[in-house]
Amino acid sequence: MSELSILSYLPGENADELEQLQERVELVRHKLKFVELKPTVACISSLSPLKLTEGLVPELIRLAGGTPVHGDDLTLLNPQYIIVALEGSPINAAMSQVDTLMALAGWESLDAVQHGRIYLASGDTHFNDSAEGIVETVEMIAEILNPKQFAFGYEGEGWIKFGI
């Protein structure tokens, strides 16, 4: 789904609201039109066992200016960014499990770790299949990957940067 259309994804929703949400996605897409660097992003939905997000999220990462990685070995994937959005859980749940993340083999050698690009995100109110959640996820990821182009205001509530 390279041309994400909120209107076609959730056709039973209010058309006016969906059109406004689609316009927000188009704004992100337009601002990223000439950004050539698409950093690799691992979005983790579970830490025990380690599982990367599936479904629509990889496409949302693309829309937000990233390149999603696939697999279950972070050392081999060596992403430039890591977003921990535990399925159905708020940020503090991810924070309480961060020791599991840091205990992963090869953690300290990962590019994202070495460059301080680890983010904890709300997996309960974002990273879900609601129309609003989809758009907010695109905006949040765009804000994380391209902070000079985007300041939607999710930092602190929707996501936080994790410092080691």
Short mmCIF file of all heavy atoms in Angstrom, two decimals, residues 4-7 10 13-28 130-136 138-139 154:
data_model
loop_
_atom_site.label_atom_id
_atom_site.label_comp_id
_atom_site.label_asym_id
_atom_site.label_seq_id
_atom_site.Cartn_x
_atom_site.Cartn_y
_atom_site.Cartn_z
N LEU A 4 -0.93 5.32 0.72
CA LEU A 4 -1.89 5.12 1.79
C LEU A 4 -3.05 6.09 1.65
O LEU A 4 -2.86 7.29 1.58
CB LEU A 4 -1.24 5.31 3.17
CG LEU A 4 -2.18 5.15 4.35
CD1 LEU A 4 -2.61 3.70 4.49
CD2 LEU A 4 -1.51 5.61 5.62
N SER A 5 -4.24 5.57 1.58
CA SER A 5 -5.43 6.41 1.55
C SER A 5 -6.27 6.04 2.75
O SER A 5 -6.81 4.94 2.84
CB SER A 5 -6.22 6.18 0.26
OG SER A 5 -7.48 6.81 0.36
N ILE A 6 -6.36 6.96 3.67
CA ILE A 6 -7.19 6.73 4.85
C ILE A 6 -8.62 6.50 4.43
O ILE A 6 -9.34 5.70 5.00
CB ILE A 6 -7.09 7.95 5.83
CG1 ILE A 6 -5.66 8.20 6.26
CG2 ILE A 6 -7.98 7.76 7.04
CD1 ILE A 6 -4.98 7.04 6.93
N LEU A 7 -9.06 7.20 3.39
CA LEU A 7 -10.44 7.06 2.91
C LEU A 7 -10.75 5.63 2.47
O LEU A 7 -11.81 5.11 2.75
CB LEU A 7 -10.69 8.02 1.74
CG LEU A 7 -10.60 9.51 2.10
CD1 LEU A 7 -10.68 10.36 0.83
CD2 LEU A 7 -11.71 9.90 3.06
N LEU A 10 -10.49 2.83 5.73
CA LEU A 10 -11.62 2.73 6.65
C LEU A 10 -12.86 3.38 6.03
O LEU A 10 -13.29 4.45 6.44
CB LEU A 10 -11.29 3.42 7.99
CG LEU A 10 -10.14 2.79 8.77
CD1 LEU A 10 -9.70 3.71 9.89
CD2 LEU A 10 -10.56 1.46 9.33
N GLU A 13 -16.06 5.01 8.01
CA GLU A 13 -15.92 6.15 8.91
C GLU A 13 -16.52 7.41 8.27
O GLU A 13 -16.82 7.44 7.09
CB GLU A 13 -14.43 6.39 9.21
CG GLU A 13 -13.76 5.24 9.93
CD GLU A 13 -14.22 5.06 11.37
OE1 GLU A 13 -14.46 6.07 12.05
OE2 GLU A 13 -14.35 3.91 11.78
N ASN A 14 -16.66 8.46 9.06
CA ASN A 14 -17.18 9.75 8.61
C ASN A 14 -16.27 10.30 7.50
O ASN A 14 -15.08 10.52 7.72
CB ASN A 14 -17.24 10.70 9.80
CG ASN A 14 -17.71 12.07 9.42
OD1 ASN A 14 -17.14 12.71 8.55
ND2 ASN A 14 -18.74 12.54 10.10
N ALA A 15 -16.83 10.55 6.33
CA ALA A 15 -16.04 10.97 5.17
C ALA A 15 -15.31 12.29 5.39
O ALA A 15 -14.17 12.46 4.97
CB ALA A 15 -16.93 11.05 3.94
N ASP A 16 -15.96 13.26 6.04
CA ASP A 16 -15.31 14.56 6.28
C ASP A 16 -14.10 14.41 7.20
O ASP A 16 -13.05 14.99 6.94
CB ASP A 16 -16.30 15.56 6.88
CG ASP A 16 -17.37 15.99 5.90
OD1 ASP A 16 -17.12 15.91 4.67
OD2 ASP A 16 -18.46 16.41 6.35
N GLU A 17 -14.26 13.64 8.26
CA GLU A 17 -13.15 13.42 9.19
C GLU A 17 -12.01 12.67 8.50
O GLU A 17 -10.84 13.01 8.67
CB GLU A 17 -13.61 12.64 10.41
CG GLU A 17 -14.49 13.43 11.35
CD GLU A 17 -14.99 12.61 12.52
OE1 GLU A 17 -14.35 11.59 12.87
OE2 GLU A 17 -16.02 12.99 13.09
N LEU A 18 -12.35 11.69 7.71
CA LEU A 18 -11.33 10.92 7.00
C LEU A 18 -10.59 11.78 5.99
O LEU A 18 -9.38 11.64 5.80
CB LEU A 18 -11.94 9.70 6.32
CG LEU A 18 -12.41 8.60 7.27
CD1 LEU A 18 -13.10 7.50 6.49
CD2 LEU A 18 -11.27 8.05 8.09
N GLU A 19 -11.29 12.68 5.36
CA GLU A 19 -10.64 13.58 4.40
C GLU A 19 -9.63 14.49 5.12
O GLU A 19 -8.53 14.72 4.61
CB GLU A 19 -11.69 14.42 3.68
CG GLU A 19 -11.40 14.54 2.21
CD GLU A 19 -12.56 15.15 1.46
OE1 GLU A 19 -13.64 14.52 1.40
OE2 GLU A 19 -12.37 16.26 0.95
N GLN A 20 -9.99 14.97 6.30
CA GLN A 20 -9.07 15.80 7.08
C GLN A 20 -7.85 14.99 7.50
O GLN A 20 -6.72 15.49 7.47
CB GLN A 20 -9.77 16.38 8.31
CG GLN A 20 -10.81 17.42 7.96
CD GLN A 20 -11.59 17.88 9.18
OE1 GLN A 20 -11.39 17.41 10.29
NE2 GLN A 20 -12.51 18.81 8.97
N LEU A 21 -8.06 13.75 7.90
CA LEU A 21 -6.95 12.88 8.28
C LEU A 21 -6.05 12.61 7.08
O LEU A 21 -4.83 12.62 7.19
CB LEU A 21 -7.47 11.57 8.88
CG LEU A 21 -8.19 11.69 10.22
CD1 LEU A 21 -8.82 10.34 10.60
CD2 LEU A 21 -7.27 12.18 11.30
N GLN A 22 -6.67 12.38 5.92
CA GLN A 22 -5.89 12.14 4.71
C GLN A 22 -5.03 13.36 4.37
O GLN A 22 -3.88 13.23 3.94
CB GLN A 22 -6.81 11.79 3.53
CG GLN A 22 -6.07 11.44 2.27
CD GLN A 22 -5.25 10.17 2.40
OE1 GLN A 22 -5.71 9.20 2.99
NE2 GLN A 22 -4.04 10.17 1.87
N GLU A 23 -5.56 14.56 4.58
CA GLU A 23 -4.81 15.78 4.31
C GLU A 23 -3.57 15.87 5.21
O GLU A 23 -2.52 16.35 4.78
CB GLU A 23 -5.70 17.01 4.51
CG GLU A 23 -6.71 17.19 3.40
CD GLU A 23 -7.70 18.32 3.65
OE1 GLU A 23 -7.49 19.11 4.60
OE2 GLU A 23 -8.70 18.39 2.90
N ARG A 24 -3.69 15.39 6.45
CA ARG A 24 -2.53 15.39 7.35
C ARG A 24 -1.44 14.45 6.84
O ARG A 24 -0.26 14.77 6.90
CB ARG A 24 -2.98 15.01 8.77
CG ARG A 24 -3.77 16.11 9.44
CD ARG A 24 -4.47 15.69 10.70
NE ARG A 24 -3.63 15.04 11.69
CZ ARG A 24 -4.12 14.45 12.79
NH1 ARG A 24 -5.43 14.44 13.03
NH2 ARG A 24 -3.32 13.86 13.63
N VAL A 25 -1.84 13.29 6.32
CA VAL A 25 -0.88 12.36 5.75
C VAL A 25 -0.23 12.99 4.52
O VAL A 25 0.99 12.89 4.33
CB VAL A 25 -1.56 11.01 5.38
CG1 VAL A 25 -0.61 10.12 4.58
CG2 VAL A 25 -2.02 10.29 6.64
N GLU A 26 -1.02 13.65 3.70
CA GLU A 26 -0.49 14.30 2.49
C GLU A 26 0.51 15.40 2.84
O GLU A 26 1.49 15.60 2.12
CB GLU A 26 -1.62 14.86 1.62
CG GLU A 26 -2.50 13.79 1.01
CD GLU A 26 -1.74 12.76 0.19
OE1 GLU A 26 -0.79 13.14 -0.53
OE2 GLU A 26 -2.08 11.57 0.27
N LEU A 27 0.29 16.11 3.93
CA LEU A 27 1.23 17.14 4.38
C LEU A 27 2.59 16.52 4.68
O LEU A 27 3.63 17.03 4.25
CB LEU A 27 0.69 17.86 5.62
CG LEU A 27 1.68 18.82 6.28
CD1 LEU A 27 1.88 20.06 5.42
CD2 LEU A 27 1.19 19.22 7.66
N VAL A 28 2.59 15.39 5.39
CA VAL A 28 3.84 14.70 5.69
C VAL A 28 4.50 14.25 4.40
O VAL A 28 5.69 14.48 4.18
CB VAL A 28 3.61 13.50 6.65
CG1 VAL A 28 4.87 12.66 6.78
CG2 VAL A 28 3.11 13.97 8.00
N SER A 130 -6.98 2.44 14.26
CA SER A 130 -8.00 3.48 14.12
C SER A 130 -7.48 4.52 13.14
O SER A 130 -6.28 4.70 12.99
CB SER A 130 -8.29 4.13 15.48
OG SER A 130 -7.22 4.96 15.88
N ALA A 131 -8.39 5.20 12.46
CA ALA A 131 -7.97 6.20 11.48
C ALA A 131 -7.11 7.27 12.14
O ALA A 131 -6.05 7.64 11.63
CB ALA A 131 -9.20 6.82 10.81
N GLU A 132 -7.53 7.78 13.28
CA GLU A 132 -6.76 8.80 14.00
C GLU A 132 -5.41 8.24 14.43
O GLU A 132 -4.38 8.90 14.31
CB GLU A 132 -7.55 9.31 15.21
CG GLU A 132 -6.87 10.41 15.97
CD GLU A 132 -6.93 11.78 15.29
OE1 GLU A 132 -7.82 11.99 14.45
OE2 GLU A 132 -6.06 12.61 15.60
N GLY A 133 -5.40 7.01 14.95
CA GLY A 133 -4.15 6.38 15.39
C GLY A 133 -3.16 6.20 14.25
O GLY A 133 -1.96 6.39 14.42
N ILE A 134 -3.66 5.87 13.07
CA ILE A 134 -2.80 5.70 11.90
C ILE A 134 -2.12 7.01 11.54
O ILE A 134 -0.90 7.08 11.36
CB ILE A 134 -3.62 5.17 10.69
CG1 ILE A 134 -4.02 3.72 10.93
CG2 ILE A 134 -2.84 5.32 9.39
CD1 ILE A 134 -5.06 3.21 9.95
N VAL A 135 -2.89 8.08 11.47
CA VAL A 135 -2.35 9.38 11.09
C VAL A 135 -1.39 9.88 12.16
O VAL A 135 -0.30 10.39 11.86
CB VAL A 135 -3.48 10.39 10.83
CG1 VAL A 135 -2.92 11.78 10.58
CG2 VAL A 135 -4.32 9.93 9.64
N GLU A 136 -1.76 9.75 13.42
CA GLU A 136 -0.88 10.18 14.50
C GLU A 136 0.43 9.40 14.49
O GLU A 136 1.49 9.96 14.77
CB GLU A 136 -1.57 10.05 15.85
CG GLU A 136 -2.65 11.10 16.04
CD GLU A 136 -3.40 10.97 17.36
OE1 GLU A 136 -3.13 10.01 18.13
OE2 GLU A 136 -4.26 11.83 17.61
N VAL A 138 1.95 8.13 11.81
CA VAL A 138 2.76 8.70 10.72
C VAL A 138 3.41 10.00 11.19
O VAL A 138 4.61 10.21 11.00
CB VAL A 138 1.90 8.95 9.46
CG1 VAL A 138 2.67 9.76 8.42
CG2 VAL A 138 1.42 7.64 8.87
N GLU A 139 2.62 10.87 11.82
CA GLU A 139 3.15 12.15 12.29
C GLU A 139 4.23 11.96 13.35
O GLU A 139 5.26 12.63 13.33
CB GLU A 139 2.01 13.02 12.84
CG GLU A 139 1.05 13.49 11.77
CD GLU A 139 -0.17 14.19 12.31
OE1 GLU A 139 -0.52 14.00 13.51
OE2 GLU A 139 -0.82 14.92 11.54
N TYR A 154 4.00 15.63 19.71
CA TYR A 154 3.80 14.32 20.35
C TYR A 154 4.89 14.00 21.37
O TYR A 154 4.70 13.13 22.21
CB TYR A 154 3.75 13.21 19.30
CG TYR A 154 2.56 13.29 18.39
CD1 TYR A 154 2.70 13.69 17.07
CD2 TYR A 154 1.28 13.00 18.86
CE1 TYR A 154 1.61 13.79 16.22
CE2 TYR A 154 0.18 13.08 18.01
CZ TYR A 154 0.35 13.48 16.70
OH TYR A 154 -0.73 13.57 15.88
#
